[in-house]
Amino acid sequence: MRQSNYIIEREKGKHLKLGARKIIAHLYNKQNKNYSEIAREMNCHRTTISREIKKGLTTFKNADWSDREVYV
C-alpha cells in the first residue's frame, strides 16, 4: 500500500486512536515493517511507534512450541 493510505491526522501530544493502533498492528505483524518505516507511513515520530509496540507486545506459541512476539 502507498504511504498516503495511512496518513492519520492527530494532534501533537494526543494519544493514538484505535484505528491507528490497528494500522500499526497490520504494518508490524503482517508486513514486517520496522519502526522507522511505520512512523513514515503514519506521519509520526519513530519513538512513538516503538513505545506503542513495546506496550502492546505479546508472546504466542507456534505449533512447534517456538515463541513469537506479536503486537496486539
Side-chain angles (χ1 to χ4, degrees):
M1 297 189 121
R2 295 183 33 195
Q3 180 177 355
S4 61
N5 292 340
Y6 289 122
I7 293 178
I8 293 178
E9 296 296 324
R10 72 178 182 92
E11 294 180 37
K12 198 169 200 166
K14 297 293 181 182
H15 295 283
L16 292 172
K17 295 185 179 174
L18 181 61
R21 289 187 171 116
K22 286 181 180 180
I23 293 170
I24 292 171
H26 175 75
L27 293 173
Y28 185 75
N29 296 330
K30 302 290 185 197
Q31 295 185 7
N32 296 323
K33 296 204 175 201
N34 61 28
Y35 300 150
S36 298
E37 293 170 337
I38 295 171
R40 239 179 273 121
E41 292 195 23
M42 298 288 296
N43 195 24
C44 62
H45 199 270
R46 65 179 169 77
T47 306
T48 303
I49 301 299
S50 68
R51 288 177 182 157
E52 182 63 35
I53 290 175
K54 285 178 190 176
K55 184 171 67 171
L57 273 182
T58 306
T59 304
F60 287 120
K61 294 277 187 191
N62 290 327
D64 61 350
W65 291 93
S66 62
D67 291 335
R68 65 183 164 106
E69 288 190 333
V70 176
Y71 172 75
V72 179

